Amino acid sequence: MQPGFRRFIVIPLFDYLVIFVVVTVALFNAFGDFFKQILDWSPSWLEWLAWLLWPLVAFIFFSDLWLQL
């Protein structure tokens, strides 16, 4: 392994991975708070929508990541 490999490839890759994980967790927490507010506002018989919205948000998030590759 060359000496510059770690400094220019591994360290930035690790930094981007950490940033990605932090932003992903923050976004899912924000969506969780948003869904909680919506479900508190809506009638109780619409609580099943949370089971529909979480997979939809995850699909949109990961499909956007896939399209950017």
Side-chain angles (χ1 to χ4, degrees), residues 61-69:
F61 179 76
F62 289 117
S63 65
D64 184 48
L65 282 177
W66 180 257
L67 290 175
Q68 289 182 6
L69 294 178

Side-chain angles (χ1 to χ4, degrees), residues 1-23:
M1 182 157 47
Q2 297 177 354
F5 179 74
R6 183 176 303 145
R7 182 171 46 171
F8 293 114
I9 296 193
V10 174
I11 293 173
L13 187 64
F14 178 73
D15 291 344
Y16 291 137
L17 180 66
V18 169
I19 291 169
F20 173 75
V21 168
V22 168
V23 169

